[in-house]
Amino acid sequence: MNHSMFCFQCEQTAGCSGCTGNMGVCGKSADTAQIQDQLTGALIGLSRSTEGNAHKLSDTTASVVVEGLFATLTNVNFDNEALLRILQSVEEEKKKLVPDCYVCAASCGKNNDYDMKELWNANEDIRSLKSLILFGIRGIAAYAYHAAVLGYKDEKIHQFLYKALFAIGTSDWGMDELLPIVLEVGEVNLSCMEMLDKANTETFGHPKPVEVSLTVEKGPFIVISGHDLYDLKLLLEQTNGKGINIYTHGEMLPAHAYPELKKYPHLRGNFGTAWHNQQKEFENIPAPVLFTTNCLMPPKESYRDRVFTTEVVGYPGMVHIDDKKDFTPVIEKALELGGFDTDTVLTGINGGKTVMTGFARNTVMEVADTVVDAVKSGAIRHFFLVGGCDGAKSGRNYYTDFVKQTPKDTVILTLACGKYRFNDLDLGTIGGLPRLMDIGQCNDAYSAICIAKALSEAFSCEINELPLSMILSWYEQKAVCILLTLLHLGIKNIRLGPSLPAFLSENVLNFLVENYQIAPITTPEEDLKMILG
């Protein structure tokens, strides 16, 4: 392959315009980027070849499409061999579904794979809308994958993925045809997040608030990162009684709140802060790290022999735990390294030694009367949802400063890894309720939506009429589909940062501003003044 790439799907993209040349900011090589483009083009080709033949699509097709889309998310899979295996599975599925089309030599637009250069070189408005669709369905695929692991699937979601892939591959569709599909991404993602919420709560119970220690106790331990709760459960089962403690990392933190996971006594605490600090925080730790989904950064030499991957995550040279889920190599590495000699007190970014999590929809709704009374009495003046992805780019201290400056008669709801900027702060309580409530992972955005809907019903008003403001940070593609879900729900006046997506053309951005009043963050002082008056 020639060493050139184009990628602008994440927030940290070079120069706020796109990563080109030999290497992306995330550490993805040009070769890997090109294989991911080839994989995406093959998925689009699969959708084009089966147009009008939806009855031919099977559970296998759905699994291939979901895995293929998920593998192209930022910071998921850097392993070219693994990506090529997924690509081969897409081609084999296409050959099985449309064998006559597969061997046809005439190019009719349905039997050949899509060349992603057509998208990257398209009219900027068309490129922008198709990018919103593509990056949005990559996020949906991640959520669908998590749910499928627990046995929950929805054929309507799969059908939409095929429909969206087909739309991306069209050459004659304009804004009138593409814009409705952009908004449909948000609608379908809402259903997908609801399905995932059901999968998690029916499998592991409804989350309950819990205080999580940031201290790592002496002795062998394993750090587990990512979003897949089922992988954590299997690891807890396989390490039970072996003298190994388990510590969550990054988006796995909310696992402590689920009753079926919390019951394991060796699930001891949380290690470190947000995903982008891993190269510093994993330096020379005497323990292995297991990555279950995205947010993997290229490991440094000082700890690469202790990194293990599973599911769609991949990195060349890493030990990959396959679908048999035998975590013996991870367990043996933990026992070999032995852990810390003494209890090691770690802290959050602001010096806190513990964090709280578990304020999901059931918990908040159980105290809805208290919340409503607090609003009516004036004890609570405003709610802020300060959530989303974290990242390394400068400007994200805005979110810490914003939370610190919120008045004492306001409540902060948070979710996803952006909370690590401030989740160890002690902001006090209002009416016995903590001012800072962690709803969970980015996957738990459905909980936040349910809470907003419940408040709107309690006050007999629309969500946009609530004393609620959304201050969001974005980094990768799951944030894109969540944003589109909020737009589908008609939510306005969202403040987004730390920078606006490079894939939004001026006309598409103007559409979002005019119809939904989306605005970039400015400064905490100015934004608070604008919101609270």
mmCIF file of all heavy atoms in Angstrom, residues 444-469:
data_model
loop_
_atom_site.group_PDB
_atom_site.id
_atom_site.type_symbol
_atom_site.label_atom_id
_atom_site.label_comp_id
_atom_site.label_asym_id
_atom_site.label_seq_id
_atom_site.Cartn_x
_atom_site.Cartn_y
_atom_site.Cartn_z
ATOM 1 N N ASP A 444 -24.756 4.717 28.492
ATOM 2 C CA ASP A 444 -25.884 4.987 29.373
ATOM 3 C C ASP A 444 -26.553 6.323 29.092
ATOM 4 O O ASP A 444 -27.306 6.833 29.924
ATOM 5 C CB ASP A 444 -25.420 4.940 30.836
ATOM 6 C CG ASP A 444 -24.895 3.567 31.224
ATOM 7 O OD1 ASP A 444 -25.582 2.580 30.916
ATOM 8 O OD2 ASP A 444 -23.801 3.470 31.812
ATOM 9 N N ALA A 445 -26.301 6.886 27.912
ATOM 10 C CA ALA A 445 -26.981 8.128 27.543
ATOM 11 C C ALA A 445 -28.498 7.941 27.550
ATOM 12 O O ALA A 445 -29.251 8.892 27.770
ATOM 13 C CB ALA A 445 -26.512 8.608 26.173
ATOM 14 N N TYR A 446 -28.942 6.706 27.324
ATOM 15 C CA TYR A 446 -30.382 6.428 27.384
ATOM 16 C C TYR A 446 -30.935 6.757 28.764
ATOM 17 O O TYR A 446 -32.056 7.273 28.890
ATOM 18 C CB TYR A 446 -30.649 4.966 27.037
ATOM 19 C CG TYR A 446 -32.107 4.584 27.122
ATOM 20 C CD1 TYR A 446 -33.006 5.003 26.149
ATOM 21 C CD2 TYR A 446 -32.587 3.823 28.182
ATOM 22 C CE1 TYR A 446 -34.350 4.671 26.227
ATOM 23 C CE2 TYR A 446 -33.918 3.481 28.267
ATOM 24 C CZ TYR A 446 -34.806 3.907 27.289
ATOM 25 O OH TYR A 446 -36.140 3.585 27.381
ATOM 26 N N SER A 447 -30.160 6.471 29.810
ATOM 27 C CA SER A 447 -30.584 6.801 31.175
ATOM 28 C C SER A 447 -30.786 8.297 31.341
ATOM 29 O O SER A 447 -31.757 8.752 31.946
ATOM 30 C CB SER A 447 -29.544 6.310 32.195
ATOM 31 O OG SER A 447 -29.987 5.163 32.878
ATOM 32 N N ALA A 448 -29.849 9.074 30.791
ATOM 33 C CA ALA A 448 -29.947 10.532 30.895
ATOM 34 C C ALA A 448 -31.197 11.036 30.182
ATOM 35 O O ALA A 448 -31.894 11.945 30.663
ATOM 36 C CB ALA A 448 -28.700 11.185 30.306
ATOM 37 N N ILE A 449 -31.500 10.437 29.017
ATOM 38 C CA ILE A 449 -32.693 10.834 28.265
ATOM 39 C C ILE A 449 -33.951 10.494 29.051
ATOM 40 O O ILE A 449 -34.897 11.292 29.118
ATOM 41 C CB ILE A 449 -32.690 10.149 26.886
ATOM 42 C CG1 ILE A 449 -31.584 10.745 26.017
ATOM 43 C CG2 ILE A 449 -34.046 10.287 26.198
ATOM 44 C CD1 ILE A 449 -31.313 9.968 24.744
ATOM 45 N N CYS A 450 -33.970 9.319 29.689
ATOM 46 C CA CYS A 450 -35.124 8.925 30.510
ATOM 47 C C CYS A 450 -35.323 9.888 31.676
ATOM 48 O O CYS A 450 -36.462 10.237 32.028
ATOM 49 C CB CYS A 450 -34.934 7.515 31.039
ATOM 50 S SG CYS A 450 -35.101 6.225 29.788
ATOM 51 N N ILE A 451 -34.227 10.316 32.289
ATOM 52 C CA ILE A 451 -34.317 11.259 33.411
ATOM 53 C C ILE A 451 -34.890 12.582 32.935
ATOM 54 O O ILE A 451 -35.773 13.173 33.575
ATOM 55 C CB ILE A 451 -32.924 11.451 34.055
ATOM 56 C CG1 ILE A 451 -32.491 10.160 34.759
ATOM 57 C CG2 ILE A 451 -32.938 12.623 35.030
ATOM 58 C CD1 ILE A 451 -31.030 10.147 35.172
ATOM 59 N N ALA A 452 -34.411 13.064 31.780
ATOM 60 C CA ALA A 452 -34.919 14.322 31.235
ATOM 61 C C ALA A 452 -36.402 14.207 30.902
ATOM 62 O O ALA A 452 -37.197 15.122 31.191
ATOM 63 C CB ALA A 452 -34.123 14.712 29.997
ATOM 64 N N LYS A 453 -36.803 13.082 30.322
ATOM 65 C CA LYS A 453 -38.216 12.883 29.993
ATOM 66 C C LYS A 453 -39.065 12.841 31.255
ATOM 67 O O LYS A 453 -40.173 13.408 31.307
ATOM 68 C CB LYS A 453 -38.394 11.588 29.198
ATOM 69 C CG LYS A 453 -37.974 11.674 27.745
ATOM 70 C CD LYS A 453 -38.290 10.372 27.016
ATOM 71 C CE LYS A 453 -38.043 10.480 25.531
ATOM 72 N NZ LYS A 453 -38.347 9.207 24.812
ATOM 73 N N ALA A 454 -38.562 12.160 32.299
ATOM 74 C CA ALA A 454 -39.313 12.065 33.554
ATOM 75 C C ALA A 454 -39.495 13.442 34.191
ATOM 76 O O ALA A 454 -40.570 13.765 34.726
ATOM 77 C CB ALA A 454 -38.588 11.119 34.514
ATOM 78 N N LEU A 455 -38.449 14.258 34.137
ATOM 79 C CA LEU A 455 -38.553 15.619 34.687
ATOM 80 C C LEU A 455 -39.553 16.448 33.887
ATOM 81 O O LEU A 455 -40.346 17.202 34.466
ATOM 82 C CB LEU A 455 -37.177 16.289 34.674
ATOM 83 C CG LEU A 455 -36.157 15.795 35.701
ATOM 84 C CD1 LEU A 455 -34.794 16.432 35.459
ATOM 85 C CD2 LEU A 455 -36.622 16.106 37.128
ATOM 86 N N SER A 456 -39.541 16.294 32.568
ATOM 87 C CA SER A 456 -40.472 17.070 31.741
ATOM 88 C C SER A 456 -41.919 16.661 32.034
ATOM 89 O O SER A 456 -42.823 17.501 32.060
ATOM 90 C CB SER A 456 -40.155 16.911 30.258
ATOM 91 O OG SER A 456 -40.453 15.608 29.804
ATOM 92 N N GLU A 457 -42.139 15.368 32.285
ATOM 93 C CA GLU A 457 -43.486 14.904 32.634
ATOM 94 C C GLU A 457 -43.895 15.412 34.007
ATOM 95 O O GLU A 457 -45.056 15.808 34.217
ATOM 96 C CB GLU A 457 -43.532 13.377 32.598
ATOM 97 C CG GLU A 457 -43.413 12.802 31.189
ATOM 98 C CD GLU A 457 -43.217 11.297 31.174
ATOM 99 O OE1 GLU A 457 -43.286 10.686 32.266
ATOM 100 O OE2 GLU A 457 -42.989 10.737 30.083
ATOM 101 N N ALA A 458 -42.943 15.426 34.955
ATOM 102 C CA ALA A 458 -43.252 15.892 36.302
ATOM 103 C C ALA A 458 -43.646 17.361 36.317
ATOM 104 O O ALA A 458 -44.489 17.786 37.113
ATOM 105 C CB ALA A 458 -42.056 15.660 37.221
ATOM 106 N N PHE A 459 -43.046 18.131 35.425
ATOM 107 C CA PHE A 459 -43.328 19.565 35.374
ATOM 108 C C PHE A 459 -44.301 19.936 34.252
ATOM 109 O O PHE A 459 -44.540 21.111 34.009
ATOM 110 C CB PHE A 459 -42.020 20.347 35.209
ATOM 111 C CG PHE A 459 -41.156 20.333 36.433
ATOM 112 C CD1 PHE A 459 -40.015 19.538 36.474
ATOM 113 C CD2 PHE A 459 -41.482 21.084 37.549
ATOM 114 C CE1 PHE A 459 -39.212 19.514 37.609
ATOM 115 C CE2 PHE A 459 -40.681 21.066 38.690
ATOM 116 C CZ PHE A 459 -39.546 20.270 38.720
ATOM 117 N N SER A 460 -44.831 18.897 33.571
ATOM 118 C CA SER A 460 -45.804 19.115 32.493
ATOM 119 C C SER A 460 -45.295 20.126 31.463
ATOM 120 O O SER A 460 -45.968 21.108 31.135
ATOM 121 C CB SER A 460 -47.150 19.576 33.074
ATOM 122 O OG SER A 460 -47.657 18.622 33.974
ATOM 123 N N CYS A 461 -44.082 19.878 31.006
ATOM 124 C CA CYS A 461 -43.501 20.787 30.013
ATOM 125 C C CYS A 461 -42.629 19.994 29.048
ATOM 126 O O CYS A 461 -42.370 18.800 29.255
ATOM 127 C CB CYS A 461 -42.664 21.874 30.701
ATOM 128 S SG CYS A 461 -41.156 21.257 31.498
ATOM 129 N N GLU A 462 -42.217 20.646 27.983
ATOM 130 C CA GLU A 462 -41.306 20.025 27.033
ATOM 131 C C GLU A 462 -39.892 19.997 27.629
ATOM 132 O O GLU A 462 -39.563 20.800 28.509
ATOM 133 C CB GLU A 462 -41.294 20.798 25.715
ATOM 134 C CG GLU A 462 -42.643 20.841 25.007
ATOM 135 C CD GLU A 462 -43.106 19.470 24.562
ATOM 136 O OE1 GLU A 462 -42.240 18.669 24.132
ATOM 137 O OE2 GLU A 462 -44.317 19.187 24.664
ATOM 138 N N ILE A 463 -39.061 19.080 27.118
ATOM 139 C CA ILE A 463 -37.685 18.984 27.618
ATOM 140 C C ILE A 463 -36.961 20.316 27.461
ATOM 141 O O ILE A 463 -36.211 20.745 28.349
ATOM 142 C CB ILE A 463 -36.916 17.857 26.903
ATOM 143 C CG1 ILE A 463 -37.460 16.481 27.321
ATOM 144 C CG2 ILE A 463 -35.415 17.927 27.211
ATOM 145 C CD1 ILE A 463 -36.788 15.304 26.641
ATOM 146 N N ASN A 464 -37.197 20.987 26.330
ATOM 147 C CA ASN A 464 -36.512 22.265 26.087
ATOM 148 C C ASN A 464 -36.957 23.367 27.027
ATOM 149 O O ASN A 464 -36.314 24.419 27.114
ATOM 150 C CB ASN A 464 -36.731 22.704 24.634
ATOM 151 C CG ASN A 464 -35.943 21.856 23.647
ATOM 152 O OD1 ASN A 464 -34.760 21.588 23.850
ATOM 153 N ND2 ASN A 464 -36.597 21.402 22.590
ATOM 154 N N GLU A 465 -38.072 23.150 27.758
ATOM 155 C CA GLU A 465 -38.557 24.144 28.710
ATOM 156 C C GLU A 465 -38.044 23.890 30.126
ATOM 157 O O GLU A 465 -38.271 24.700 31.020
ATOM 158 C CB GLU A 465 -40.091 24.151 28.707
ATOM 159 C CG GLU A 465 -40.701 24.561 27.376
ATOM 160 C CD GLU A 465 -42.198 24.372 27.308
ATOM 161 O OE1 GLU A 465 -42.726 23.482 28.018
ATOM 162 O OE2 GLU A 465 -42.847 25.107 26.555
ATOM 163 N N LEU A 466 -37.382 22.768 30.317
ATOM 164 C CA LEU A 466 -36.826 22.445 31.635
ATOM 165 C C LEU A 466 -35.658 23.367 31.985
ATOM 166 O O LEU A 466 -34.968 23.869 31.097
ATOM 167 C CB LEU A 466 -36.314 21.003 31.658
ATOM 168 C CG LEU A 466 -37.331 19.868 31.699
ATOM 169 C CD1 LEU A 466 -36.622 18.533 31.481
ATOM 170 C CD2 LEU A 466 -38.080 19.854 33.033
ATOM 171 N N PRO A 467 -35.399 23.538 33.290
ATOM 172 C CA PRO A 467 -34.171 24.235 33.689
ATOM 173 C C PRO A 467 -32.974 23.285 33.562
ATOM 174 O O PRO A 467 -32.344 22.899 34.543
ATOM 175 C CB PRO A 467 -34.446 24.605 35.149
ATOM 176 C CG PRO A 467 -35.368 23.534 35.637
ATOM 177 C CD PRO A 467 -36.232 23.174 34.454
ATOM 178 N N LEU A 468 -32.706 22.892 32.328
ATOM 179 C CA LEU A 468 -31.690 21.877 32.024
ATOM 180 C C LEU A 468 -30.865 22.327 30.839
ATOM 181 O O LEU A 468 -31.416 22.680 29.790
ATOM 182 C CB LEU A 468 -32.365 20.528 31.712
ATOM 183 C CG LEU A 468 -31.484 19.426 31.103
ATOM 184 C CD1 LEU A 468 -30.446 18.948 32.112
ATOM 185 C CD2 LEU A 468 -32.346 18.261 30.614
ATOM 186 N N SER A 469 -29.547 22.309 30.981
ATOM 187 C CA SER A 469 -28.643 22.672 29.888
ATOM 188 C C SER A 469 -27.656 21.541 29.652
ATOM 189 O O SER A 469 -27.165 20.921 30.605
ATOM 190 C CB SER A 469 -27.881 23.961 30.214
ATOM 191 O OG SER A 469 -28.780 25.033 30.404
#
